[in-house]
C-alpha cells in the first residue's frame, strides 16, 4: 500500500460512492499476471494492518462481479511464484470507462434501478 493510494482511499471511504453507479471513480487497479483476473478498487478503508476494498472484480472478458475484497486476500494469492500486482501506471477514471462491452453490460445491469 503506497502512501499515495492510502491518501486516495481517504477521499473514497466505503459507501462514499453509493448511487454513483458507472460514474463511481476507480482509484486503483490490481491484476494477476498471465490471467484476466483484475480488481478495480472504488472504495476502501484501513482495518488494523489491512485494507478492506469494494469494487469490480473481473474474472474473464464476460464475467465480473461487484464486491468486497481485502489487501491481505490479494497478497495471499500465489501461483507458481506469481502474485497479484498493483498497476502502478493506472490513473483514476470512472468505472464505466475501464471495462470492455461485456463488463460494461454487467455494471449497467448491476446498478439497474428497479
Amino acid at each position: 500500500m503506497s502512501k499515495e493510494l492510502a491518501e486516495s482511499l481517504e477521499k473514497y471511504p466505503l459507501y462514499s460512492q453509493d448511487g454513483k453507479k458507472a460514474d463511481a471513480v476507480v482509484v486503483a487497479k490490481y491484476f494477476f499476471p498471465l490471467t484476466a483476473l483484475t480488481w478495480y478498487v472504488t472504495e476502501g478503508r484501513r482495518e488494523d494492518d489491512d485494507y478492506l476494498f469494494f469494487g469490480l472484480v473481473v474474472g474473464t472478458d464476460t464475467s465480473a462481479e461487484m464486491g468486497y475484497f481485502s489487501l491481505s486476500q490479494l497478497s495471499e494469492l500465489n501461483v507458481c511464484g506469481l502474485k497479484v500486482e498493483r498497476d502502478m501506471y493506472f490513473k483514476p477514471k470512472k468505472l464505466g470507462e475501464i471495462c470492455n462491452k461485456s463488463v460494461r453490460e454487467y455494471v449497467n445491469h448491476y446498478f439497474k434501478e428497479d
Side-chain angles (χ1 to χ4, degrees), residues 5-68:
L5 180 54
E7 289 173 356
S8 291
L9 289 173
E10 289 178 12
K11 297 174 190 171
Y12 298 101
L14 291 179
Y15 314 111
S16 65
Q17 297 201 71
D18 280 0
K20 290 188 177 180
K21 303 179 182 182
D23 288 330
V25 176
V26 176
V27 295
K29 173 186 173 184
Y30 289 87
F31 64 96
F32 193 73
L34 304 178
T35 73
L37 285 170
T38 309
W39 295 261
Y40 294 99
V41 177
T42 59
E43 303 168 348
R45 75 169 174 235
R46 186 180 179 102
E47 292 191 341
D48 299 321
D49 293 334
D50 199 3
Y51 279 85
L52 178 62
F53 301 131
F54 181 81
L56 178 68
V57 181
V58 178
T60 66
D61 285 345
T62 58
S63 73
E65 185 173 324
M66 298 297 293
Y68 295 91

Side-chain angles (χ1 to χ4, degrees), residues 96-111:
E97 297 174 332
I98 53 100
C99 307
N100 65 32
K101 182 181 179 194
S102 296
V103 174
R104 272 194 310 275
E105 288 172 359
Y106 167 80
V107 168
N108 290 334
H109 176 75
Y110 178 84
F111 290 117

